[in-house]
Amino acid sequence: MLSVTNKNWETIKAAVLDEFFTRGVFWILNKYPELEEKEHDDITDEDRLTYSFELVETSAKNLLFHVFFLNKIAKMQNNTLEKRAQEYDERYGRCAPATEDIFIAACENFSNLEGYQAFFKNLGEEKDVKSIVKILNDAIIKSKAKGYHGTKAAVLSPEEFAKQNQAFDINAMCKEENGKMVVIDDESKWKSGAEARWGFTELPDYLENEENPWRKLYLQHNLQDFISKFNDNPDFVRFHKILDISQEVHQLDIMMFNPSNIKSKYFYLTCLLTKLTNLNTLIIRRGTESLGVRGFKALIKGLTNNPGNLKKLILEFCGINGDSIKELTKGTKIGSNLESLTLRGNPIADQGAINLANFLRHHQNLPNLTELDLSDCQIRDSGAASLAEALLVKHKIRKLNILNNHISTGLVNILENMSYNPSIEDINVSRLDGNPFRDSGKTFAKLLGQTISLSSINFWKTNCSRLNTVVFEKLAENETIEELDLGQTNFNYRMSDLGIALGKNTSLKTLNLESNQIQMTHLGEFNKTLLQSFKEKNKHDRVELAIKKLELANNDFNLPASSEKMHPILGKFVSMCKHLTYLNLNACKINYHVSRYLSDALLPEAGIPLETLLLRGNKLGKLGIKHLRNGLSQNKTIKELDLSGNDVGVTGAQYIAEIIESNDTIENLNLFGNFMEIEGVDHVIQALKKNSTLKRVDLGLNRAKVRGVAKLVSLFNENSTLEHLALKHNHIKDKKAMELAEAISTSPKCQIKYIALAGNPLSKDTRREIAVKFKMVENRSIEFDLSQLVEVKDPERLERTVYLTPLRGDITELKIKKLFYDNQCGVILSVKIHKHKMVENFGVSKYAFVEFAHPDSVLLARNLSHKGLNVMDGKVVRVVRAGI
């Protein structure tokens, strides 16, 4: 602003620098709170300058840039505004070459800025260390006076919020019996307390069938909150009182912290397990500190004292290493009833795996262990070999997860020894390194041949290219395996062997072969050997595969017209799956040559009980849909059909309309991204008027535009079954969107409960009007996909909202609230969890908006990142202000 005024830098210099140093205090003390003390034994003046500048370096560089621009570019000496304007006009807005050189040199200088003294030198001042220290100390005083730091008074804690909004005192929920304090039974009071303090309105699944579930939930979170703040106020007397009234707590989920103020350090973990005799599940995750050897030692001591009710111990991403695990090997009997042990995400490595194996080898240690999860533990072959030996002893193991480790040949040892286990049901060895089947799969064959219990095995992303024919011979004879995941395993060259196996196997119900570069030639070999094998066993050629769910996505079934003899292969394959209910053929490059025969397999006479057919992202086009029209029109079993991303155009839309008119079983139809244009969308709409079974339709990205939407308005006067309609990215403008909303809201027959309009050029006012209109509908609840955006974009709410990403697919509202309540960020009014559109994997599939009661809570929440506390389930999440 100063660039176009008669003011200069010297006019505002003192005020700007004063505010620069004052505002920087918050960020400095946030990371180094000890700097608030003027004199500190462990901090020299040079340290103070170094630590402080580290937190304001970027702001300092920005300030220097603006000062330089003002003095050297905008307000050059002996140069008026009029003269500067004239010079830039003469150069068509470009600066002089000499000015450009000065500008570049200055930017390079600022980027290499080192410390406060260099900062002042660039401002034309020379300051020594003492004078800068004085400026920093004075800034701390000013910052506190202005309320920039040192107070959270504006942000109510959950407890304060509860007191102000609904009286609730834990002591009032207790009564004295025989000289002891016991909790009361009134569930309504416990529920109202949980809602007032944490905003809980629903019970978690693990408490659904429990007696007094709301009391258990409140006591659990009350104890968790106390533990999270224990280092700030290590009151063991109060701790034991809380433990006494929390005896019935069944599950506890705590984050580790550095017990710097607790003299006995991790002894509280021993107390927890010693006193909570009814604890069923204990979950410990890494917070600001890992569990470490001392923490693990205290935990083990508590497990030793526990009478044996603990059944699940989950220690995820706790920084447990080999030395920690060694504490298990000291001969102490622990967890007589422990059934599930999870060490996912801990770097125990080979030494830790060996130590754990030494412990498990003793029959008296964890005698009832049924589930063991060692995923993401950096285990290699030697550790896997030791674990394999230990697993020979643990005959009750039903579920084993060792996915995403650096195991290659060690898998051979594990599979061989699991073949002697009479209880194993589920093995997950996905995402292992290298080529683990250097024995050509002999041990896997042994497992398949000897097991009497194994029902599921997962090799996803583990190289299975070396499996030999013996494996498939044993699979053919196996009577227990129901689920086999061979996705992304380089399996394409073993399809003929798989055909032999499945021709005789009658137990396998779910098979994943996605992303294996399977081509039609491989599938042809499979069909041939399948028919031969089935005929050999059953003495007839009416093949009936036992498979119910089949994943074939991301393979290559594209065929040119010249390969006419191969066109029927996919259709023949499907027609042999007489029990198939789910078929995923997404992104398989299927074209119209192949689809004509696939259509035959969908006819009622084929006898396939298919309920879900996914054909997203293929090359069907209008001719492919034309071929599929016959089978889909007559089909009597399919309920979900995905034809999205097939570019069917206007003509293809006509064929889809015929399917909609004729088929009376499909309930969910996805037509997203088919570019059907206005005319094609009209064909579909007219068909929907005659359909009485479809409940969900996605017409997104089809260029419906204004005229296409106009046709939709009349649909709602005739269709009474459609509940979910998606119209994203269709060039729908404000006026037609409002007409659409009006029709949905007022048409007597309309049953729409969800409408999606994201990606259309709708103004903020229109989005808000539609959201309000839907809220006013009395006879049904209508969800609008942009309503959350409308709420978040509200300036007042935006000021109180943060955005969290990425979040795991199993994230819950309780977990999110726990993160912020444990770190005293203030009261949460609402949490909205959503799925990311493009999902890379389960671990990063969701995001959330968290609305606080007070704007200052946003600052406290964002500060978690600076403190390293922005961790959920062992993973770092971004916490940013909504709208950024």
Side-chain angles (χ1 to χ4, degrees), residues 794-812:
D794 178 78
E796 195 274 328
R797 298 188 69 180
L798 190 65
E799 193 181 357
R800 298 186 277 102
T801 303
V802 295
Y803 169 72
L804 270 71
T805 190
L807 302 174
R808 285 172 52 85
D810 58 358
I811 192 66
T812 64

Side-chain angles (χ1 to χ4, degrees), residues 631-656:
L632 289 172
S633 295
Q634 298 183 56
N635 186 278
K636 299 297 180 185
T637 60
I638 293 178
K639 294 180 180 179
E640 180 179 358
L641 176 63
D642 189 345
L643 295 172
S644 61
N646 275 287
D647 199 13
V648 305
V650 176
T651 306
Q654 287 181 278
Y655 301 132
I656 289 175

Side-chain angles (χ1 to χ4, degrees), residues 827-839:
V827 177
I828 294 171
L829 297 183
S830 69
V831 176
K832 301 291 184 182
I833 300 172
H834 303 277
K835 287 183 179 179
H836 281 296
K837 251 190 170 180
M838 303 299 292
V839 178

Side-chain angles (χ1 to χ4, degrees), residues 700-712:
L701 197 58
N702 275 295
R703 296 175 181 159
K705 299 184 180 177
V706 174
R707 284 195 293 137
V709 176
K711 305 285 186 180
L712 267 172

Side-chain angles (χ1 to χ4, degrees), residues 256-271:
M256 290 307 301
F257 56 85
N258 182 3
S260 56
N261 295 328
I262 304 174
K263 290 183 179 180
S264 56
K265 300 303 178 185
Y266 298 96
F267 179 67
Y268 69 94
L269 290 174
T270 305
C271 294

Side-chain angles (χ1 to χ4, degrees), residues 816-827:
I816 292 174
K817 287 183 175 180
K818 176 178 171 56
L819 171 67
F820 294 115
Y821 282 143
D822 283 355
N823 290 290
Q824 304 175 46
C825 293
V827 177

